[in-house]
Amino acid sequence: MSKVTAETVRRVNGLTARWAQALPEGTVFSAPGVWPLLAFLADGATGPARTELSQALGLPADQAAGAARELLAALGAVSGLDAALGLWTHHALALREEWRAGLPAGTYGVFGDDLVTAQERLDVWAAERTGGLVERMPVTLTRDTRLVLAGALALRTTWRQPFTELPLRPDAGPWQGRSLRGLHRRSVRPDRVGVTGTPDGFVTALTVPGDNGIDVHLLLGEERMTPGQVLAAGVGIVARALPLTVGGSLPHGHVGPGLYVEQQPAVEPGPPVLDVRTVVYEVRADHDLLALSDLFGLTSASDTRGGHFPGVSASGLAVGEARQSAVAQFGALGFRAAAVTAMAAPYGGAPQYRYESTVVRAVYDRPFGFLAVDRDSRLVLAAGWVTDPAPEAVVSFPGAVPPAL
């Protein structure tokens, strides 16, 4: 990732944690997809709008544009990340050239009175910038629209070690009785999971490393904790602001939400292992940022009774729409096929379990959170909460098609 200051990472991650507190379950969102655009607006704002945007960003408005350019350059260098960021204005709105020149290439566009054509162009832009994962812009242009603020994000990584698909049938909790597309894998890296304590409760965090510098952290809190509390704890873990006691240092027993350290019979001696069970999921969400205007510093900026951005345009200007579309998919991330194989073998007797090995077992079989993180900078690229995992695939023969990745 290109150079991004620790302060900028802290500010953007702070927005992630605050946004998580305001959202419902079953969602996905990306603070880095919003923060730069708020920063460019702050650079051209005045009065209460400038103050509110500065507070939401966590830095003075006169420093916002520079920090936004820094962050966008860093996002552009992340392998596997497609970020669609856009600011559009009506063709009759004259922008100040100094402000416009500060926008990165590809961020700014103009639309005319042919709203059907303009809408189509916005949809194509969103689809192209996200590799088709987000098919259209979540805004509808109207005759009164003068400025549109939008963002979409798509993220791809391949696990260093793939999972094996095995059905998961929880025997307790909200997913009890369901047959889910489960994922399983074992490794000799028990320290990829750990537990931390917060004022709200304990949280188990599992790191699933990708092959391109992006890690996904799965977060399971105590059942009484809210999604916002769990995700905020995850941001603290990623930022190393919360201490994490890793699997290899935990005592035997039930040591955290969904986390167990056990002795299991083994055929031969070996090191401690990490045994993970989780689920396949896809989460999609559209967000109206003006519905959370206080969070994003857009309360005054969206008041159409006056102009708030003289640094952007001499015309009276207010934010008409501010939305984001996001998607996250989690699976085995590899080619999958179905086959039936039969073999006959002579009876060989039961294996001789002469040893025991330590197994750190992490089970994500009820709603949990996730963070997709740039490994080097620890910037949270996307976050979300899983409430509806994929059901177990039903395969029929002949002509069965493997489930989609």
Side-chain angles (χ1 to χ4, degrees):
M1 189 174 188
S2 298
K3 182 64 175 176
V4 59
T5 67
E7 276 300 297
T8 297
V9 171
R10 182 184 62 80
R11 290 166 180 142
V12 181
N13 284 356
L15 180 58
T16 296
R18 295 192 301 276
W19 197 353
Q21 300 282 354
L23 290 177
E25 299 182 0
T27 192
V28 56
F29 61 96
S30 170
V34 174
W35 198 92
L37 296 180
L38 298 178
F40 284 123
L41 287 181
D43 181 54
T46 190
R50 186 178 179 90
T51 301
E52 292 170 8
L53 284 163
S54 176
Q55 291 172 345
L57 293 164
L59 83 169
D62 58 2
Q63 300 175 20
R69 287 190 291 271
E70 166 202 300
L71 178 60
L72 287 172
L75 290 173
V78 176
S79 175
L81 175 66
D82 295 314
L85 308 169
L87 178 68
W88 291 265
T89 60
H90 188 264
H91 69 90
L93 184 73
L95 294 178
R96 294 195 184 278
E97 187 57 36
E98 181 182 56
W99 181 83
R100 177 178 172 178
L103 295 174
T107 300
Y108 170 68
V110 175
F111 60 92
D113 293 327
D114 182 353
L115 299 184
V116 173
T117 299
Q119 189 76 52
E120 290 175 351
R121 289 207 313 269
L122 292 183
D123 293 346
V124 168
W125 182 86
E128 289 179 346
R129 293 292 295 273
T130 62
L133 286 176
V134 177
E135 297 178 351
R136 59 184 57 88
M137 272 293 179
V139 297
T140 302
L141 298 177
T142 70
R143 294 296 177 189
D144 296 327
T145 304
R146 288 297 177 268
L147 182 147
V148 175
L149 174 68
L153 180 126
L155 180 65
R156 299 175 182 84
T157 191
T158 300
W159 306 138
R160 289 179 177 176
Q161 177 191 355
F163 288 85
T164 300
E165 283 207 25
L166 291 173
L168 180 64
R169 301 180 178 90
D171 55 13
W175 298 342
Q176 182 178 5
R178 296 180 60 183
S179 186
L180 305 174
R181 280 181 67 186
L183 298 173
H184 174 259
R185 79 177 189 189
R186 275 201 169 200
S187 72
V188 292
R189 300 296 299 272
D191 289 353
R192 293 209 186 280
V193 73
V195 64
T196 191
T198 77
D200 302 310
F202 289 97
V203 174
T204 295
L206 170 73
T207 301
V208 186
D211 66 350
N212 58 357
I214 295 174
D215 297 333
V216 176
H217 300 259
L218 303 185
L219 308 163
L220 187 66
E222 296 184 40
E223 293 189 53
R224 60 184 172 82
M225 295 177 69
T226 67
Q229 291 170 338
V230 175
L231 289 172
V235 173
I237 292 168
V238 167
R240 299 177 184 171
L242 286 177
L244 193 69
T245 304
V246 295
S249 303
L250 292 168
H252 285 73
H254 185 184
V255 292
L259 190 61
Y260 310 84
V261 180
E262 305 165 337
Q263 289 298 115
Q264 294 186 1
V267 176
E268 57 186 16
V273 298
L274 172 61
D275 187 282
V276 174
R277 293 297 305 268
T278 185
V279 292
V280 173
Y281 63 80
E282 174 177 295
V283 186
R284 293 177 178 267
D286 293 319
H287 303 284
D288 180 359
L289 306 189
L290 296 186
L292 298 171
S293 59
D294 288 346
L295 174 67
F296 297 105
L298 293 172
T299 301
S300 295
S302 59
D303 184 350
T304 57
R305 293 173 297 179
H308 310 285
F309 302 96
V312 176
S313 173
S315 302
L317 194 62
V319 175
E321 288 191 89
R323 302 186 69 92
Q324 181 188 84
S325 291
V327 56
Q329 301 169 330
F330 189 104
L333 294 185
F335 177 77
R336 292 190 298 271
V340 176
T341 303
M343 292 185 290
Y347 175 75
Q352 300 298 309
Y353 294 109
R354 299 179 180 177
Y355 306 94
E356 285 190 334
S357 65
T358 300
V359 177
V360 181
R361 187 162 55 89
V363 183
Y364 289 75
D365 61 356
R366 56 181 174 82
F368 61 89
F370 64 90
L371 303 175
V373 179
D374 176 69
R375 189 179 304 144
D376 291 337
S377 68
R378 300 194 292 279
L379 175 68
V380 177
L381 302 170
W385 189 262
V386 180
T387 56
D388 189 20
E392 181 184 358
V394 178
V395 180
S396 59
F397 292 92
V401 177
L405 296 176

